[in-house]
Amino acid sequence: MKSKKHLPLALYSAVLLSITGFKPTSAIAQTSEVTVSSLAEEQMYRPNFHFTPKKGWMNDPNGMFFANGYYHLFYQHYPDGNKWGPMHWGHAISKDLIKWEELPIAIYPDKDKYIFSGSAVVDTHNTSGLGTGKTAPIIAVYTLHDMTKEKEGKIDVEQQDIAFSNDNGITWQKFEEGNPVVKNPGIRDFRDPKVSWDETHKQWIMVLAAQDRAQFYKSSNLKNWEFVSEFGKNIGAHGGVWECPDFFEIKVEGTKEKKWVLIVNLNPGGPNGGSGVQYFVGDFDGKTFTMDNSFAERVKNEKGVWTDYGKDNYAGVTWNNVPTSDGRRLFIGWMSNWDYAQQVPTTAWRSSTTIPRELQLIKKGNYYNLISKPVRELDNYVAETISAKSLNGKGNLTLVKDGFNDLTQSVISLDLKNLKQSNYTFRLSNLDGESLSFGLNNKENYLFIDRSKAGKIDFSDKFASTVSKAFLEGSQKSAAFKIVLDKTSIEIFYNNGEKVMTEIFFLNKPFSALSISSKEKIEINNFKIQELNVAKSH
Ligand code: FRU
């Protein structure tokens, strides 16, 4: 078995190598037994309010949909190991996207036939005919990955299959007689179908990742699919294979204009190494996606535009079937990176999801920007708020004194005013002298996170060897930060989500202090720490 299942095989990697310079890593033998979680591990590393499986390995979020008052989250899961292995679809539900309840495994692999990533739709009008008439059938569309064929070096390793549920997504049956619904056309990496209802053109659409392109298919019944177009040749970032695409129509905030957004996950080749989530904005005529001209320019100039510039937001996709009365486009990502996900220092489980986020499309001048904000449901868990209208200082300003203990579940927000072309560095620290720095370099115009002193880092030389950066257009006069902190993660939402950075860390003691330093005068408005209590009943 390989350290990561879809390592390119010799044949197609030669093609990829010539396009992208991507070099496959060698296969590594796995030891991946799940042990019982120690109390210390639970206390230090089990997040307070980010979803983790109780035991075993997790990667991509899959098949998310909303129905009957519940948000469903499925995920790539290997319950018997803490490294990637035979892929199942794990399952969790939530009424509010914050508190999750893990349910029994939804879809099991057959021997050597793994259930890879995909999506699920509520087939309200039973277009598939797979419903039994009582409740709308839920149809999951996923990639079946054949490990035997992979080991034999075959090309047609991946195909798209469906499974259906007639009890609102709790139990599932594979559609044995009709699978595959999309055969492999001779492309080795051919996976991660995202299916959704296209209300504008009254059709089901599927976007999937085909090596380093996105392919579009349409259907009227979820069972017969017609290929309609392809997108991506020489467009955007191509540092590795494209994976886990998503595609949806979205209103431009404050206008009546609608645009289509194509999300494409990419591994490797992310903005700060390893995995990353890029996106494209444009129009869709029911068959072909065409990028908006100004966005195309932006993609070219920036060599890819990303929903998150931190190292730890991957395979992010959005929920289907969120009621129009709610109207939000809700996103969640896997809070890790293939560069080191299988080495992070937890043993009983590995990985968590990002905080669910609301995506919005805004237009500034000529440019469209997909912004992300933590979902507003998080506000319902604020137990205590500490705030200050304004704070000023020079040199080093303490924002939270050592001893304040619940930085492990908090949201910190503040506005920096009257900025000079200087560095503004926040420092989270603990009583063991561990620290994480982040902030704004307003001379060279970027946001950054540096976790090189934040506890355990030596499990992988890719984890903390570089400072992650998100470049901004020019130096800033003011800057608004919203920072979501859990035991092992920081999610920075800059200027209302215009730039986002998400990273994980593994401390030996929780962070208990926060300061900011600069050579220039520091002027802070609207400082607020919200302590969360997600354990409290709701
Ligand atoms: C992304 C990914 C998908 C694939 C899944 C397998 O992280 O590689 O492309 O379906 O993981 O677990």
Side-chain angles (χ1 to χ4, degrees):
M1 202 187 296
K2 299 188 167 162
S3 65
K4 170 98 204 295
K5 61 297 156 193
H6 52 77
L7 294 178
L9 297 172
L11 197 66
Y12 88 99
S13 67
V15 180
L16 206 57
L17 203 59
S18 64
I19 318 173
T20 63
F22 169 59
K23 263 218 211 82
T25 21
S26 63
I28 306 169
Q30 294 206 17
T31 45
S32 78
E33 248 172 52
V34 186
T35 57
V36 174
S37 192
S38 69
L39 193 59
E41 180 167 296
E42 286 293 317
Q43 280 174 349
M44 278 312 297
Y45 297 147
R46 176 80 73 185
N48 280 314
F49 59 99
H50 288 79
F51 176 75
T52 49
K54 287 202 179 73
K55 77 175 185 70
W57 166 266
M58 173 176 79
N59 54 290
D60 316 355
N62 294 147
M64 295 103 73
F65 68 89
F66 177 87
N68 305 315
Y70 284 96
Y71 293 94
H72 290 252
L73 166 67
F74 300 86
Y75 45 93
Q76 289 286 279
H77 188 33
Y78 179 35
D80 304 320
N82 62 17
K83 291 195 174 176
W84 189 87
M87 282 292 109
H88 302 53
W89 271 29
H91 190 190
I93 52 169
S94 171
K95 281 193 164 161
D96 68 357
L97 296 158
I98 305 296
K99 254 194 171 164
W100 292 96
E101 181 191 342
E102 189 172 329
L103 296 183
I105 295 205
I107 311 180
Y108 284 84
D110 293 322
K111 189 180 175 294
D112 261 9
K113 294 208 167 125
Y114 295 3
I115 312 296
F116 270 22
S117 287
S119 48
V121 293
V122 181
D123 185 11
T124 311
H125 302 294
N126 196 17
T127 60
S128 62
L130 294 170
T132 49
K134 286 181 218 121
T135 57
I138 317 284
I139 313 294
V141 189
Y142 56 86
T143 300
L144 191 80
H145 181 100
D146 188 326
M147 289 303 283
T148 310
K149 285 188 178 170
E150 172 175 327
K151 282 174 209 147
E152 290 166 2
K154 298 245 168 73
I155 292 287
D156 60 339
V157 169
E158 298 180 333
Q159 63 183 35
Q160 317 320 322
D161 278 13
I162 65 181
F164 57 96
S165 166
N166 275 307
D167 59 3
N168 294 314
I170 306 301
T171 59
W172 294 82
Q173 214 175 312
K174 290 175 188 150
F175 182 43
E176 305 288 4
E177 63 274 29
N179 283 331
V181 293
V182 180
K183 279 200 196 117
N184 187 294
I187 302 174
R188 169 58 177 77
D189 289 283
F190 183 68
R191 61 175 170 270
D192 307 340
K194 171 69 191 240
V195 173
S196 56
W197 175 250
D198 166 7
E199 179 58 28
T200 303
H201 306 101
K202 307 280 186 247
Q203 58 182 359
W204 295 108
I205 40 170
M206 176 195 290
V207 57
L208 58 77
Q211 194 161 304
D212 66 341
R213 312 276 164 78
Q215 288 194 345
F216 295 89
Y217 293 75
K218 66 175 185 140
S219 173
S220 58
N221 60 10
L222 296 161
K223 296 190 292 199
N224 304 106
W225 290 93
E226 183 191 335
F227 170 83
V228 288
S229 65
E230 188 175 89
F231 172 86
K233 188 175 180 198
N234 300 328
I235 302 172
H238 287 265
V241 283
W242 283 16
E243 300 184 315
C244 303
D246 195 356
F247 190 53
F248 50 85
E249 194 171 29
I250 190 169
K251 222 172 62 184
V252 181
E253 282 301 301
T255 75
K256 289 212 169 90
E257 189 188 2
K258 281 181 167 178
K259 283 280 168 189
W260 286 80
V261 170
L262 172 67
I263 287 183
V264 174
N265 287 273
L266 170 72
N267 179 55
N272 281 292
S275 329
V277 193
Q278 64 179 328
Y279 71 92
F280 305 91
V281 178
D283 298 297
F284 182 59
D285 63 6
K287 288 187 169 176
T288 308
F289 171 70
T290 316
M291 213 183 353
D292 177 79
N293 284 340
S294 63
F295 200 81
E297 207 178 294
R298 193 173 161 203
V299 167
K300 222 178 186 175
N301 293 341
E302 298 175 26
K303 299 192 174 66
V305 180
W306 309 85
T307 48
D308 198 312
Y309 288 78
K311 290 195 180 92
D312 297 306
N313 181 356
Y314 192 56
V317 282
T318 65
W319 260 271
N320 273 334
N321 211 45
V322 174
T324 39
S325 56
D326 177 314
R328 288 178 296 173
R329 180 53 61 175
L330 299 168
F331 168 101
I332 197 166
W334 171 46
M335 200 149 57
S336 200
N337 188 312
W338 279 117
D339 270 357
Y340 43 74
Q342 302 186 88
Q343 282 89 46
V344 299
T346 58
T347 55
W349 79 92
R350 271 211 176 100
S351 310
S352 74
T353 55
T354 65
I355 195 76
R357 299 166 186 191
E358 178 179 358
L359 301 181
Q360 292 176 332
L361 191 65
I362 58 168
K363 196 173 182 187
K364 264 194 177 173
N366 249 346
Y367 278 178
Y368 294 98
N369 201 12
L370 191 66
I371 65 172
S372 327
K373 300 171 181 175
V375 290
R376 57 173 176 256
E377 284 84 345
L378 196 56
D379 298 345
N380 297 335
Y381 292 94
V382 175
E384 204 177 317
T385 304
I386 300 165
S387 58
K389 267 223 160 79
S390 72
L391 294 167
N392 299 314
K394 247 202 150 154
N396 195 47
L397 189 62
T398 301
L399 299 174
V400 178
K401 271 203 204 118
D402 241 333
F404 180 101
N405 257 334
D406 243 341
L407 285 179
T408 61
Q409 44 180 337
S410 59
V411 180
I412 301 170
S413 32
L414 56 90
D415 301 332
L416 287 174
K417 292 288 168 201
N418 298 319
L419 294 171
K420 302 288 171 326
Q421 295 200 349
S422 181
N423 270 339
Y424 295 84
T425 303
F426 294 94
R427 195 167 159 269
L428 280 159
S429 58
N430 65 17
L431 297 167
D432 267 11
E434 296 167 334
S435 66
L436 179 120
S437 305
F438 63 94
L440 170 66
N441 179 327
N442 211 27
K443 265 190 300 200
E444 290 167 36
N445 311 330
Y446 61 80
L447 303 171
F448 63 91
I449 301 181
D450 179 353
R451 59 185 172 189
S452 61
K453 297 190 177 67
K456 295 180 186 157
I457 57 165
D458 58 4
F459 50 87
S460 160
D461 54 10
K462 291 197 172 144
F463 186 69
S465 51
T466 53
V467 172
S468 296
K469 295 177 182 172
F471 282 90
L472 304 169
E473 295 150 39
S475 67
Q476 309 287 298
K477 296 205 169 63
S478 63
F481 286 88
K482 183 168 197 170
I483 299 147
V484 177
L485 279 178
D486 203 330
K487 287 181 197 167
T488 56
S489 61
I490 180 165
E491 297 170 90
I492 302 175
F493 299 88
Y494 180 75
N495 279 359
N496 221 7
E498 283 182 19
K499 279 265 149 70
V500 181
M501 296 187 83
T502 301
E503 297 218 342
I504 54 174
F505 47 79
F506 299 91
L507 303 166
N508 292 301
K509 270 215 169 77
F511 284 138
S512 50
L514 174 67
S515 63
I516 176 171
S517 62
S518 176
K519 276 196 200 132
E520 299 291 339
K521 187 173 174 209
I522 301 162
E523 298 178 50
I524 295 178
N525 281 2
N526 305 322
F527 177 72
K528 194 160 74 176
I529 301 186
Q530 295 170 308
E531 260 185 71
L532 306 174
N533 184 357
V534 177
K536 95 177 170 189
S537 64
H538 214 67

